[in-house]
Amino acid sequence: MPWKLERSDAFNGTHTTLHTGAKMPVVGLGTWKSKPGEVANAIRVGVEAGVRHIDCAQIYGNEKEIGEALKGLFDSGVVKREELFITSKLWNTFHAAQDVRPALQKTLTDLQLEYLDLYLIHWPHGFERGDVLFPKNEDGTVRYADTHYLETWGPMEQAVNDGLVRHIGLSNFNCRQMTEVYEKSTVKPAVNQCECHPYLNQEQLLAAARKLNIVFTAYSPLGSGDRPWAKPDDPKLLDDAELKKLADKYGKTSAQVLIRFQVERGVVVIPKSVNADRIRANFNVFDFELSEEDMVTMASFNRPWRACEPKLKLDDGSEIPRDAKHPLYPFNDAY
């Protein structure tokens, strides 16, 4: 089917509108893989460059340092809390109803915040409860929990009612799972955050989210070339020859073109960097537009290929999706 640009009616160029009417900046700063010792400066550089959306997660292991950076920015008057849109995520070991609030409270304490703008269930499938974030068996396989995400959603809704979070949402949920939460919830999911880039353009999932008035956020929008498990023969999106031609055409970097591709689709995008120049450049994407022809060209890159699918290495050296046997694993569905 030929690709067609369908911009959300809620999209106005720099912000999108959530189902509550609140505004969410379409370009944010991701913090996955941003090491302690580097992430605080990245936050400062980003905010000073105009970034007003910061994406965090407990599992990233850097929320305390982000909190210190945010406090410094607030105390010095660089930005006010209400001017920022801050997201975090509930990790897989805290899906049990009684664990949601303590996990959220830890994130708020670490970030030194009274509330989050958005709190997401990081993955639909849960791990064994406890303080070990990746509980494993002797053979290296993960120890799972059978908690259904609808059981987790109730305490998420209560956090909204109690004013600890403004919106709640999903991450890595497939279409069927996203729709189930939407249909069975009182407080509707505001966002579904998933891997998305031209090699995995998520056209079907994006269309489904739009029908439910759920904003779609793209993580790893540059292809996550610095992911720890990358192999030498994996696709390298930023090195794509056709992408480089487009970047040259517009006088922009390949990263800027990738970010602008999502912006023009009405997709929120959260590129990660700790390099000051790249952080500034990644936010500087509002002074050009891609032509319809070039949008179609970029959509044609779709393979689809995932950079961020947890894998388990077998004795023979081959790899399989780590969590595929879990009944709630999202990527067993086509989208």
Side-chain angles (χ1 to χ4, degrees):
M1 182 177 71
W3 185 85
K4 183 178 183 296
L5 175 62
E6 292 184 358
R7 180 177 293 133
S8 168
D9 292 338
F11 174 67
N12 70 3
T14 60
H15 291 72
T16 195
T17 304
L18 300 173
H19 66 74
T20 60
K23 302 294 185 183
M24 181 180 186
V26 296
V27 179
L29 178 65
T31 59
W32 178 44
K33 305 186 303 294
S34 295
K35 300 174 184 176
E38 298 177 339
V39 70
N41 186 61
I43 297 295
R44 286 191 291 267
V45 169
V47 170
E48 289 169 357
V51 174
R52 293 294 180 265
H53 173 187
I54 300 168
D55 184 83
C56 314
Q58 180 179 354
I59 194 60
Y60 300 166
N62 53 17
E63 288 192 327
K64 282 189 177 181
E65 186 170 335
I66 292 172
E68 289 295 329
L70 291 173
K71 183 177 186 300
L73 290 165
F74 298 150
D75 290 348
S76 61
V78 173
V79 70
K80 298 177 181 177
R81 169 63 186 97
E82 58 268 26
E83 294 173 332
L84 292 184
F85 190 101
I86 301 174
T87 299
S88 189
K89 309 178 192 75
L90 177 75
W91 182 239
N92 303 10
T93 50
F94 306 113
H95 281 201
Q98 63 267 42
D99 295 335
V100 175
R101 181 62 64 93
L104 170 59
Q105 291 285 8
K106 175 173 171 48
T107 278
L108 289 170
T109 298
D110 288 349
L111 292 174
Q112 302 188 45
L113 300 175
E114 294 182 358
Y115 69 92
L116 293 172
D117 296 277
L118 178 63
Y119 197 43
L120 307 177
I121 301 178
H122 207 144
W123 289 87
H125 53 286
F127 294 169
E128 182 180 75
R129 294 180 63 206
D131 294 329
V132 178
L133 299 180
F134 286 94
K136 293 184 178 180
N137 298 302
E138 291 185 4
D139 63 358
T141 57
V142 173
R143 298 176 67 89
Y144 296 107
D146 58 4
T147 306
H148 195 277
Y149 46 77
L150 290 177
E151 299 175 48
T152 309
W153 194 254
M156 299 279 285
E157 293 185 324
Q158 189 59 49
V160 175
N161 296 335
D162 292 344
L164 296 179
V165 299
R166 300 285 172 84
H167 305 85
I168 50 179
L170 314 168
S171 181
N172 296 300
F173 277 56
N174 63 35
C175 181
R176 176 175 49 83
Q177 294 167 332
M178 175 182 69
T179 302
E180 183 179 23
V181 174
Y182 179 86
E183 291 178 345
K184 297 182 179 180
S185 59
T186 300
V187 179
K188 300 302 179 185
V191 167
N192 191 10
Q193 182 184 126
C194 301
E195 178 180 350
C196 185
H197 43 73
Y199 285 175
L200 182 71
N201 68 29
Q202 299 277 24
E203 180 181 340
Q204 293 169 299
L205 187 56
L206 171 58
R210 186 167 287 145
K211 288 179 181 178
L212 300 177
N213 198 23
I214 294 174
V215 167
F216 196 91
T217 296
Y219 74 70
S220 296
L222 311 182
S224 193
D226 62 344
R227 63 195 183 283
W229 54 84
K231 297 181 179 59
D233 58 347
D234 281 348
K236 296 178 176 61
L237 178 58
L238 284 170
D239 292 339
D240 188 287
E242 293 301 313
L243 175 63
K244 287 185 175 182
K245 289 179 183 177
L246 291 174
D248 290 343
K249 173 181 175 179
Y250 289 95
K252 295 290 183 178
T253 66
S254 292
Q256 287 173 317
V257 171
L258 289 170
I259 295 165
R260 185 68 203 184
F261 172 72
Q262 303 292 7
V263 168
E264 295 201 21
R265 301 168 85 203
V267 171
V268 174
V269 58
I270 47 171
K272 168 262 172 184
S273 181
V274 294
N275 177 283
D277 290 338
R278 286 198 288 269
I279 291 170
R280 297 185 188 102
N282 288 347
F283 187 66
N284 184 25
V285 295
F286 298 104
D287 60 349
F288 74 108
E289 293 184 7
L290 299 172
S291 70
E292 184 77 16
E293 179 183 1
D294 291 336
M295 290 289 288
V296 171
T297 295
M298 292 186 69
S300 73
F301 295 173
N302 193 50
R303 302 199 173 194
W305 170 78
R306 291 187 187 278
C308 302
E309 183 173 19
K311 297 290 183 67
L312 180 68
K313 183 172 286 189
L314 302 179
D315 291 339
D316 63 3
S318 63
E319 291 183 332
I320 59 172
R322 184 191 66 197
D323 304 324
K325 292 184 179 180
H326 195 289
L328 300 180
Y329 183 64
F331 304 151
N332 289 331
D333 288 23
Y335 67 93

